[in-house]
Amino acid sequence: MEFDKKILSFLKPDLVDKILQESSIKEFPKGTEILREQQYVKVLPLVASGLVKVYSRFDEKELLLYYIEPAQSCVMTFYAALKNTPSKVFATTEEDSKIILIPVQLLPNWLKEYPDFNELFFNQYNLRYSELLDTISQLLLDKMDKRLYDYLKKKLELINSISIKMSHNQIANELGTAREVITRVLKKLESDGKIIQKSGEIRIIADW
């Protein structure tokens, strides 16, 4: 499978060659579950293209944790792989994705041999921690209309699109709230001239 090494340009060339030599690269269609809760991790994903959603489930409801973008990996999977413990999260492709699958048995030695491999995951931990603080700030300080607007804006940036097609129930799951709340707040955002909804699609038409 053809692969553009530029996506790994933040790593040193010898490590890039090692990753490509020892790993497999697979393409996954949108909506593919690539990791389940309680599954033991055999490979560490490194996204080359596309988008992966990482989430938990509580009482049959999904709770979005974060998205894995190109040149990023999954810190939850990384931890489970190193400790040989079952995964605590689910991971599903949000777009057609190309993913590098690194065998987890290679991680201990690579972490010792390649300092920039360590840096990759330190950066991921820092990124997810910053996102967690932002989420807590939103929950404490922002009203639901601002929180929903920011969510839609971020989602559009991630998929590089001007509109998004998601059910109110899907959005509610990712934001950890009820569908009725999302429906009501979307109507408010529309009446405020921030968004438009048409044929099941949502588009942002004004800044906050």
Side-chain angles (χ1 to χ4, degrees), residues 24 27 42 76 84 97 119 121 125 142 152 154 158 199:
S24 60
E27 294 181 345
K42 302 298 183 184
M76 298 294 287
N84 193 31
S97 302
E119 187 175 346
F121 291 100
Y125 275 110
D142 291 340
L152 294 172
K154 177 64 174 178
L158 287 171
S199 301

Coordinates of all heavy atoms in Angstrom, one line a residue, residues 24 27 42 76 84 97 119 121 125 142 152 154 158 199:
S24 N 1.9 -2.9 10.1 CA 1.1 -3.0 8.9 C 0.3 -1.7 8.8 O 0.1 -1.0 9.7 CB 0.1 -4.2 9.1 OG -0.7 -4.0 10.2
E27 N -6.5 0.1 5.6 CA -7.6 1.1 5.4 C -8.9 0.6 6.0 O -9.3 -0.6 5.8 CB -7.8 1.4 3.9 CG -6.5 2.0 3.2 CD -6.7 2.3 1.8 OE1 -7.6 1.7 1.2 OE2 -5.9 3.1 1.2
K42 N -3.6 -5.5 20.9 CA -2.5 -6.2 20.2 C -1.7 -5.3 19.3 O -0.5 -5.6 19.0 CB -3.1 -7.3 19.3 CG -3.9 -8.3 20.1 CD -3.1 -9.0 21.2 CE -3.9 -10.1 21.9 NZ -3.1 -10.7 23.0
M76 N -5.1 6.1 25.5 CA -5.7 5.1 26.3 C -5.3 3.7 25.8 O -5.0 2.8 26.6 CB -7.2 5.2 26.2 CG -7.8 6.5 26.8 SD -7.6 6.6 28.5 CE -8.8 5.5 29.1
N84 N -0.7 -4.3 29.6 CA -1.4 -5.5 29.2 C -2.7 -5.6 30.0 O -3.0 -6.7 30.6 CB -0.5 -6.7 29.5 CG -1.1 -8.0 28.8 OD1 -1.7 -7.9 27.8 ND2 -0.8 -9.1 29.5
S97 N -10.4 5.8 6.8 CA -9.1 6.1 7.5 C -8.1 5.1 7.1 O -8.4 3.9 6.9 CB -9.3 6.1 9.0 OG -10.3 7.0 9.5
E119 N 8.5 11.1 23.0 CA 7.9 12.4 22.9 C 6.6 12.4 22.3 O 5.7 13.2 22.6 CB 8.9 13.3 22.1 CG 8.5 14.8 22.1 CD 9.5 15.6 21.4 OE1 10.7 15.1 21.2 OE2 9.2 16.8 21.1
F121 N 4.2 10.3 22.6 CA 3.2 10.0 23.6 C 3.1 11.0 24.7 O 2.0 11.3 25.3 CB 3.3 8.6 24.1 CG 3.0 7.6 23.0 CD1 4.0 7.0 22.3 CD2 1.7 7.3 22.7 CE1 3.8 6.1 21.3 CE2 1.4 6.5 21.6 CZ 2.4 5.8 20.9
Y125 N -0.4 12.8 25.7 CA -0.9 13.0 27.0 C -1.2 14.5 27.3 O -2.2 14.8 27.9 CB 0.1 12.5 28.1 CG -0.1 11.0 28.3 CD1 0.9 10.1 27.9 CD2 -1.2 10.4 29.0 CE1 0.8 8.7 28.1 CE2 -1.3 9.1 29.2 CZ -0.3 8.2 28.8 OH -0.5 6.9 29.0
D142 N -19.7 27.5 30.5 CA -20.5 27.8 29.3 C -21.9 27.3 29.4 O -22.1 26.2 29.9 CB -19.8 27.2 28.1 CG -18.5 27.9 27.7 OD1 -18.3 29.0 28.2 OD2 -17.7 27.3 27.0
L152 N -20.0 21.9 17.3 CA -20.2 21.8 15.9 C -19.1 22.4 15.1 O -18.7 21.9 14.0 CB -21.5 22.5 15.6 CG -22.8 21.9 16.1 CD1 -24.0 22.8 15.9 CD2 -23.1 20.5 15.5
K154 N -15.9 22.7 15.9 CA -14.7 21.8 16.0 C -14.9 20.6 15.1 O -14.0 20.1 14.4 CB -14.5 21.3 17.4 CG -13.4 20.3 17.6 CD -12.0 20.9 17.3 CE -10.9 19.9 17.6 NZ -9.6 20.5 17.2
L158 N -12.7 19.3 11.9 CA -12.1 17.9 11.9 C -12.4 17.2 10.6 O -11.5 16.5 10.0 CB -12.6 17.1 13.1 CG -12.0 17.5 14.4 CD1 -12.7 16.7 15.5 CD2 -10.5 17.2 14.5
S199 N -32.5 19.4 5.5 CA -32.3 18.0 5.0 C -31.4 17.1 5.9 O -30.6 16.4 5.4 CB -31.8 18.0 3.6 OG -32.7 18.7 2.7

